[in-house]
Amino acid sequence: MIVLRAFAAACALLALNATVSAQTKDTLVAALAAEATMLDPTRSFAGVDYYFIGQMFEQLVRFDPDLKMVNWLAESWSIEGTPDKPIIDVHLRKGVKFHNGDPLTSTDFEFSYGRLRDPKISRYSHLQANVEKFEVIDDHHFKLHFRAPDGNYIPNALQLWAIPKKYFEAVGEEGFAKAPVGTGPWKFVSRSIKEDLKLEAFDDYWNKDARPKVKNLVLKIIPEDLTRVAAFKSGAVDWIDAVPLSAVDEIKKMPGVKTFSATSSNNLYIDFPTYMPDSPFSKLKVREAVAHAIDVDAIIKSVLFGQGERYAEVGKGETGYDPDLKPYPYDVKQAKQLLAEAGYPNGFETPCYNLITPREPNVKEMGEAVFAYLSTVGIRCKVQGLEYSAWLKVLVRTPIGPLDGIVMHMWGHGLPGDPAEPWSGMLHSFVPGKGFGSGSQTNDPKVDAMVEELKNTMNPEKRVELIKQVARYKHDNVLGGVTTYRPVITFAWRDNVEFRPWPSASWHVFQQVSFTK
C-alpha cells in the first residue's frame, strides 16, 4: 500500500512538472488542499467555495488585512429610518465593471437580493428575511428597507454579492455556473473539476491600489499532503495552502520560502441530534458526558502539532468573547458517571461521521482521536469516513433527513468573527423554507428566541451582551454541539512572490500578488 501511494504521488508530481515547462513569470500556480463545490455565490454553502468565489466576486464592504471593515463596492453607506424599521442607504462606486464589460448598477444588487432571499435557491435566505423592500434610487444609489432591525446584516459584509443581472439572464443558471462573471480582481478562464481553476487578471478592475500584478492565476487541487508539499519543493507550484502540520517547522526553515500563519475563520465542533426524542443525545447528561470525555488540549498538542486555538462557544477576538466562559474539563470518571445517570451504564453504539478531505489540516486525524476518546467512556463509534461532498449532505437537514449520530462539524464565524449569523443556521431550530436551522440539530424554544432577539438587535453594546447570554445558555445546555478549536493555518510561497494575505475566504484571496524577481 505504501509503495502504491508513493507511486501515485510520483505520477501526480510528474504530471504537475509537465505543466511547469509552460510557466512564465506571468503565471502564478497555487496548490489548494480542497476544492469548491460550486462557483455561484448565491447557491454556495461550503466554506471552501469562497476560495474560488472570492477571487471573482465582491461585496459592498469587506475586511482589510488588519481586520478593519472598509467600504468596497459601496462608496458609502449609512443607517437611516427608525430604530424599529431601519434603512440602509447605499451609494455604489461609479466606474465599476463586470468581467464582461457591463457596468455595475443598483439593479444588479437588486437581482442578487432577489436570488439570495429565495429559499429554493439560497441556503442563507434567512439573512434577507428582515428586508422588506429593495428600493432602487438610481444606477448607483439604493436603499434596503427593513421590516425589523437586523444586527446580523452589517457584520456579515452587508450580505449582498455583485451579480450581473443582464449576463445571468442571458446565459441562465447553468451557463452562469459554468462561466461565472463578477467584478473581482480575477476573471474566469476555465475549470477542470478535481484538477484546477484558471483565472486571468481583470485589466479593468476598479481598485488600482489593491490589485494583482500577475497576469494569470492557476488554482490546482492537490488534496494529498505529500504530493502538495512535493510539488512546492520541486517548483511545480509557487504557493500552497494547508501546509501539513507536521511539516510547518520544516517549511518555515526552508531557504527562499516565505510563510504566513493565522487563525482561520473556521470554528470546529462535535455535533449530534439533540432534537430527536429517541436519540441518547436528547439527554443533557449524555451531551455533558461527550464534553467531558475528550481531551481537546491533548489533541491540539499531539494531533495538530499545537496548530489550533481552543475556544468555548466564541473565540478570542470575536464579538461577544467572554474570557470567563471555559471549555468543559477532560474528566473520564465524570463522563462515565453522567452516562450511567442518563441510563447508559454500559454506554451505547452510535454512527460517527468523519470528514476525510483535508478541509482543515489534520481534520481527519482529529476526528479519529475524538472517536477514540469517546470509546474509552463507552460511546462506541461506528465510524464512517466521508469525502467533502458526501459530508456536506450529512450536515444539511434537507433533503436526506435527520442525522442519526455524531458528526465532526464546522461553521465559520468569519474574521474578525461574529457568531450571530452562524447560530441562526446551526443553533436555531430548523424551520423549513425559512433558512433558519439549515444545519441545526437543536430544537430549543428558549435559544430560538435568544437567537432571534440577537438578529433583531443593531445596537453594538447590546449585541455583545446578548451574544454572551446565548453563549452561556448554549454552553450550559451543550446545544449546537461541543466546541473544540479554531485551526491555525499556514501558507507558504517562494520568495520571488509578493503575497499580501487578505482575510476573505480564510485568507485565500489573491487580492494583491506579484513576482518580485
Side-chain angles (χ1 to χ4, degrees):
M1 182 61 72
I2 293 175
V3 173
L4 288 175
R5 286 181 178 174
F7 178 73
C11 289
L13 186 53
L14 286 171
L16 282 167
N17 277 321
T19 69
V20 177
S21 60
Q23 257 181 259
T24 69
K25 289 298 182 183
D26 288 335
T27 300
L28 180 81
V29 182
L32 277 61
E35 181 177 24
T37 63
M38 63 185 65
L39 302 182
D40 182 345
T42 308
R43 291 186 175 277
S44 171
F45 182 70
V48 297
D49 290 350
Y50 297 97
Y51 298 178
F52 281 24
I53 289 169
Q55 317 297 339
M56 299 177 284
F57 292 92
E58 298 181 307
Q59 294 177 289
L60 293 165
V61 300
R62 69 185 298 187
F63 289 94
D64 71 9
D66 298 318
L67 297 180
K68 295 179 181 178
M69 182 179 282
V70 294
N71 291 340
W72 207 247
L73 295 182
E75 185 174 63
S76 66
W77 61 277
S78 59
I79 300 177
E80 302 176 350
T82 66
D84 292 335
K85 300 191 73 173
I87 299 170
I88 295 182
D89 186 62
V90 179
H91 290 265
L92 294 176
R93 293 186 186 278
K94 296 180 180 179
V96 177
K97 295 180 181 179
F98 286 104
H99 299 151
N100 66 342
D102 289 347
L104 172 69
T105 69
S106 299
T107 302
D108 297 307
F109 274 108
E110 181 183 37
F111 177 71
S112 174
Y113 159 74
R115 296 188 75 231
L116 284 165
R117 71 190 301 266
D118 184 350
K120 295 179 181 178
I121 300 173
S122 169
R123 286 175 172 157
Y124 294 102
S125 61
H126 60 285
L127 300 182
Q128 309 299 327
N130 283 2
V131 180
E132 186 174 39
K133 182 176 68 171
F134 189 110
E135 181 187 7
V136 174
I137 307 299
D138 59 39
D139 280 353
H140 297 94
H141 183 196
F142 66 84
K143 295 185 178 185
L144 294 166
H145 296 257
F146 289 79
R147 59 171 54 88
D150 194 331
N152 294 354
Y153 217 85
I154 294 172
N156 287 285
L158 298 186
Q159 306 297 346
L160 305 175
W161 292 90
I163 295 176
K165 180 178 186 289
K166 183 178 178 181
Y167 172 79
F168 189 100
E169 291 179 338
V171 300
E173 292 267 359
E174 185 175 349
F176 186 76
K178 290 181 177 179
V181 166
T183 63
W186 297 98
K187 62 180 182 179
F188 178 85
V189 175
S190 66
R191 182 188 184 189
S192 297
I193 303 297
K194 295 185 178 181
E195 292 185 15
D196 61 38
L197 172 70
K198 293 180 180 178
L199 303 166
E200 180 182 324
F202 182 32
D203 289 338
D204 285 336
Y205 184 57
W206 65 273
N207 193 327
K208 305 303 180 185
D209 297 324
R211 60 181 300 159
K213 296 180 180 179
V214 176
K215 184 176 181 180
N216 304 300
L217 174 64
V218 179
L219 301 181
K220 285 192 168 292
I221 311 305
I222 311 179
E224 172 60 46
D225 285 347
L226 292 176
T227 308
R228 194 169 61 259
V229 171
F232 181 66
K233 288 182 176 180
S234 72
V237 301
D238 306 294
W239 184 103
I240 58 171
D241 76 347
V243 173
L245 303 182
S246 60
V248 169
D249 288 342
E250 176 195 359
I251 294 292
K252 286 185 174 181
K253 292 176 183 176
M254 283 179 59
V257 170
K258 295 181 180 180
T259 62
F260 170 78
S261 296
T263 302
S264 87
S265 60
N266 215 352
N267 295 63
L268 278 68
Y269 58 100
I270 306 159
D271 210 359
F272 27 66
T274 66
Y275 74 96
M276 296 176 63
D278 296 335
S279 170
F281 304 104
S282 65
K283 299 181 179 182
L284 174 58
K285 289 186 177 181
V286 172
R287 304 197 298 270
E288 290 175 330
V290 172
H292 282 296
I294 303 158
D295 192 343
V296 177
D297 290 325
I299 293 176
I300 291 174
K301 181 180 179 179
S302 301
V303 178
L304 304 179
F305 295 83
Q307 302 296 298
E309 180 185 278
R310 187 84 186 270
Y311 80 106
E313 314 309 334
V314 179
K316 293 179 182 177
E318 293 187 43
T319 304
Y321 170 67
D322 184 353
D324 295 329
L325 195 61
K326 305 295 184 184
Y328 282 83
Y330 174 55
D331 190 331
V332 173
K333 183 178 179 180
Q334 178 72 356
K336 289 181 177 180
Q337 181 178 331
L338 286 164
L339 283 177
E341 292 173 359
Y344 302 97
N346 299 315
F348 58 87
E349 287 191 348
T350 182
C352 292
Y353 300 96
N354 197 31
L355 174 62
I356 61 175
T357 302
R359 168 66 175 84
E360 298 290 357
N362 285 22
V363 69
K364 171 180 175 288
E365 293 78 8
M366 189 271 182
E368 292 169 345
V370 166
F371 301 150
Y373 272 110
L374 291 176
S375 69
T376 64
V377 301
I379 300 176
R380 298 177 294 279
C381 281
K382 296 181 288 185
V383 179
Q384 297 184 42
L386 301 174
E387 296 286 354
Y388 193 67
S389 59
W391 173 77
L392 285 172
K393 292 177 181 178
V394 169
L395 305 183
V396 182
R397 287 288 292 271
T398 58
I400 67 169
L403 177 70
D404 58 355
I406 294 173
V407 63
M408 300 303 298
H409 208 322
M410 58 186 75
W411 199 306
H413 292 188
L415 289 169
D418 188 300
E421 184 272 316
W423 284 347
S424 294
M426 51 78 68
L427 182 60
H428 191 289
S429 299
F430 177 53
V431 183
K434 298 294 184 180
F436 274 118
S438 57
S440 173
Q441 302 300 325
T442 298
N443 185 9
D444 185 292
K446 183 173 180 178
V447 83
D448 287 353
M450 295 171 77
V451 169
E452 290 174 22
E453 182 183 5
L454 176 57
K455 178 179 175 64
N456 293 337
T457 300
M458 300 187 78
N459 179 276
E461 291 79 15
K462 189 175 181 182
R463 278 178 60 80
V464 167
E465 187 55 39
L466 285 172
I467 288 173
K468 289 182 178 180
Q469 290 176 18
V470 176
R472 173 61 65 180
Y473 184 82
K474 178 181 184 298
H475 189 71
D476 290 347
N477 293 277
V478 198
L479 297 174
V482 176
T483 54
T484 55
Y485 74 104
R486 304 168 74 196
V488 175
I489 55 175
T490 298
F491 303 152
W493 60 92
R494 310 206 166 280
D495 63 2
N496 69 328
V497 174
E498 191 67 35
F499 170 71
R500 189 183 189 196
W502 284 63
S504 304
S506 199
W507 307 100
H508 280 75
V509 172
F510 290 83
Q511 182 70 40
Q512 291 174 282
V513 64
S514 62
F515 284 110
T516 59
K517 56 183 178 180

